[in-house]
Amino acid sequence: MNAPYDGDRAQGTGGPAPSQGTAPGTPVPGQVPAPAPAPEPDPYVQDAYAYDPYRSQDLSAQDPVAEVLYDRASHPPPPPGTFQEPGPLYAAPTAPSYSPDPRVWAQTPPPEPDGPSRHLPYGDHATTTQFVGVDSLVTNASDEQSAPDAFAHLYRDQEAAPRTPAEEAPVAAPAPSKPAGRASSLLKSSALMAAGTIVSRITGFLRTLVIAGAIGVGTFNDTYQIANTLPTMIYVLVGGGALNAVFIPQLVRAMKNDDDGGQAYANRLLTLVVVLLAGITTICVLAAPVFITMMSPKIASDPQQMDVAVAFARYCLPTMFFMGVHVVLGQILNARGRFGAMMWTPVLNNIVVIATFGAFIWAFGGFTTSGVNAATVTPEGVRLLGLGTLLGLTVQALAMLPYLRDAGFKPRLRFDWRGHGLGKAARLAKWTFFFVLANQVGLVVVTQLATWAGAVAEKQGHPGTGITAYNYALLLWQMPQAIITVSVMTAVLPRISRSAHDGDAAAVRDDISYGLRTSAVAIVPCAFAFLALGVPMATLLYAGSGSGAQNIGYILMAFGLGLIPYSIQYVVLRGFYAYEDTRTPFYNTVIVAAVNAAVSTLSFFVLPARWAVVGMAAAYGLGYAVGVGVAWRRLRTRLGGDLDGAHVMRTYARLTGACVPAAAVAGAVAFGVTQWLGSGVTGSATALLTGGIALAAVFLIAAKRMRIEELNAMVGMVRGRLGR
């Protein structure tokens, strides 16, 4: 066992070296002569004079066992500046300038030197080395606390029930780019959002059914659809795209880096959105006739339709303000790991609108009995429908406040925008604005052409072929995208943003691949289901709107397969947004909008009026197919040339191979049933049921033979949930 540390370790023997100009063996005045070289020692004879009491006490040369047992905390070295530098061995010690004086009760301590004068072994630095006793190391070895995860609060509601300290799992080593529990937590969050989206979409379909039952699917409904579409278009153009795509990464960074967890940044963003949308809403309400003329010159040419459309627009345009408030509050909750509110609150909006149009049917009768149009509708009826639409969005926005209170966020108006990162977000949002502008230009072109073609086709005896039929089919077609893809990517996007911020391209690639393959399990079969069963779907859902329901089914079939590239495009663009790259999505959207507008224009001039909108629906999917090819190559280059393409393509190819025979069998079964029972409610329901069963059975058999791992994992998860 070593003696206690006496302050003289690792100091050397000291003494000046012999002068280089003196011959060996010549004595130097004032210095002890060096001993003569000792003969080679005999290993069997002990040298009694080998012990040197003044040799260096190097800790690294001592017994390692004794060194481990030596407790430095009990015998720490002296502080810097108190150890005397080595000098000649036999020189008289110098009198310390601060020696103890028995006549002074409190002696003045010596000053600290500029640098450390203590020598420690192993190259340790005197001012930074911390001495910890062996007893403390052994006793408190299990008391180490792991560093808190800076992003733990983002996923708090995704975790299981809280565990007691005894149940806490041990701290794991730094995990690879894809932790083992990531897929499970994402599936839980996706399931919560999917449930909310399913309920929202179901009530949304009930909403469209009630609207169609109240005002039909013809030109009168076209006036309401254009007025109700205007606020959404303007809102998305002004800032909706930026809020959805740019500000989630910014909110995540603010929560990670700011002392208040990003609360001040979120309040500044909320204030900016409120002020901006309040001003824009006021201007748009005053300019409602201009917007109606821009959206549909055909409606503007009819004075009665123009008056009704402008009245609807002035009630509907203020909803853009509440859209913005709802979205920014929802993104604040998403950044804090609360994903459910944004998916569930639209249910309230749908309920209010359903009640509004139900009241219209109660007061004025259904469309099949009243035949209401722009010439026969009363001002009271227009006011009822307009106020009900505005009230629905108002309730949807205000319903977010309890969720914010539960998340610990207190909304406050803050006008100190300068110098707090909003400028950077605005610069990023610049390209998102152009992105949305290109998309909306294509939508305006389609709206003008579809409205014109629908008016001509209705005069020829084919109602339900205008913009209303296009929007209703589009709403039904987008349902799988909203339930599956959006839910999965909303949960994945904060994780992708964190991986991109950390420079972990492999994690970004894995999450993109996960989103593509997981969503494909539902997206690909749904696309073929729309192709095979589009007509019975539409005739069943919109049976109360008259003969126009079958034309909606044809449009839905044309949309069908375009769902696959539409979903892929959505997932791939999230990768660019995670890297705060909004320029590339803009260029990609320009390509999509250009292809969509060009093919839609060609369909308008080449096809008959009844089939023109069907061609426009096919053009929508074609535009996204072209855009996916461009976006895929660019993102693959961004991630170092690897986007897990072979794995993703293998999954989509196998799913498509399983869906082709399934869709053929389902389409044949549905056609036979409708020929036997007709296309009424009974025939459509039977055709849809039997065709759906046939499609699911053939698809599952083929997919099992092809061993599609993503489908097998999903089926296993469902069986585990059901306890089978």
Side-chain angles (χ1 to χ4, degrees), residues 97-109:
S97 56
Y98 293 89
S99 59
D101 189 351
R103 298 171 298 176
V104 179
W105 180 73
Q107 183 73 22
T108 303

Side-chain angles (χ1 to χ4, degrees), residues 7 73 84-85 121-122 137-138 151 267 388 400 423 522 545 565 577 610 650 665 681 711:
Q84 184 177 359
E85 294 294 341
Y122 313 116
L137 289 175
V138 175
F151 290 91
N267 276 321
M400 301 292 288
S545 61
Y577 292 139
R610 178 184 179 182
R650 182 167 59 252
V665 173
V681 175
L711 180 63

Side-chain angles (χ1 to χ4, degrees), residues 455-488:
V456 174
E458 186 168 331
K459 291 180 180 179
Q460 298 174 354
H462 301 289
T465 56
I467 189 62
T468 298
Y470 184 92
N471 288 340
Y472 282 7
L474 183 66
L475 180 65
L476 180 59
W477 177 74
Q478 289 177 335
M479 182 177 180
Q481 161 80 3
I483 294 176
I484 304 298
T485 310
V486 174
S487 299
V488 170

Side-chain angles (χ1 to χ4, degrees), residues 365-690:
F367 179 76
T368 55
T369 58
S370 66
V372 64
N373 54 41
T376 60
V377 66
T378 63
E380 291 78 12
V382 174
R383 188 179 303 114
L384 172 62
L385 299 181
L387 288 176
T389 303
L390 176 59
L391 180 62
L393 264 297
T394 305
V395 172
Q396 175 179 317
L398 296 180
M400 301 292 288
L401 297 178
Y403 291 96
L404 290 171
R405 189 180 304 110
D406 183 64
F409 179 80
K410 297 180 180 180
R412 296 287 187 272
L413 294 179
R414 298 195 59 151
F415 296 92
D416 52 336
W417 301 333
R418 186 180 300 275
H420 293 284
L422 292 176
K424 177 182 178 181
R427 289 190 297 273
L428 294 172
K430 173 184 66 176
W431 291 104
T432 305
F433 169 78
F434 292 130
F435 167 94
V436 176
L437 178 62
N439 202 12
Q440 297 304 313
V441 168
L443 181 59
V444 169
V445 172
V446 172
T447 301
Q448 292 178 346
L449 297 177
T451 304
W452 199 293
V456 174
E458 186 168 331
K459 291 180 180 179
Q460 298 174 354
H462 301 289
T465 56
I467 189 62
T468 298
Y470 184 92
N471 288 340
Y472 282 7
L474 183 66
L475 180 65
L476 180 59
W477 177 74
Q478 289 177 335
M479 182 177 180
Q481 161 80 3
I483 294 176
I484 304 298
T485 310
V486 174
S487 299
V488 170
M489 294 311 297
T490 301
V492 173
L493 184 55
R495 198 181 298 272
I496 295 179
S497 300
R498 181 178 66 177
S499 300
H501 181 260
D502 295 338
D504 191 351
V508 175
R509 178 204 62 202
D510 292 343
D511 282 330
I512 294 293
S513 174
Y514 168 81
L516 288 170
R517 291 181 287 106
T518 303
S519 60
V521 174
I523 292 297
V524 176
C526 287
F528 282 90
F530 289 139
L531 179 63
L533 305 173
V535 173
M537 284 183 190
T539 53
L540 176 62
L541 291 173
Y542 301 105
S545 61
S547 59
Q550 190 171 12
N551 293 323
I552 298 177
Y554 294 138
I555 298 173
L556 182 59
M557 291 178 63
F559 272 118
L561 296 183
L563 183 64
I564 299 174
Y566 179 67
S567 175
I568 296 174
Q569 170 94 339
Y570 182 88
V571 176
V572 171
L573 292 187
R574 302 310 105 177
F576 293 108
Y577 292 139
Y579 284 100
E580 299 183 349
D581 179 7
T582 53
R583 181 182 301 183
T584 301
F586 161 68
Y587 290 129
N588 191 262
T589 302
V590 169
I591 296 173
V592 173
V595 173
N596 184 20
V599 180
S600 296
T601 304
L602 182 64
S603 301
F604 178 78
F605 287 105
V606 173
L607 298 176
R610 178 184 179 182
W611 302 106
V613 179
V614 175
M616 296 177 193
Y620 195 83
L622 180 62
Y624 278 99
V626 175
V628 164
V630 178
W632 183 275
R633 289 194 299 270
R634 292 186 176 182
L635 184 59
R636 182 179 59 188
T637 303
R638 182 65 181 265
L639 296 180
D642 184 13
L643 200 55
D644 202 17
H647 194 184
V648 173
M649 292 302 297
R650 182 167 59 252
T651 300
Y652 276 86
R654 291 180 177 180
L655 287 170
T656 302
C659 288
V660 169
V665 173
V669 171
F671 180 77
V673 171
T674 53
Q675 291 296 314
W676 176 37
L677 297 177
S679 57
V681 175
T682 302
S684 298
T686 306
L688 185 60
L689 179 62
T690 56

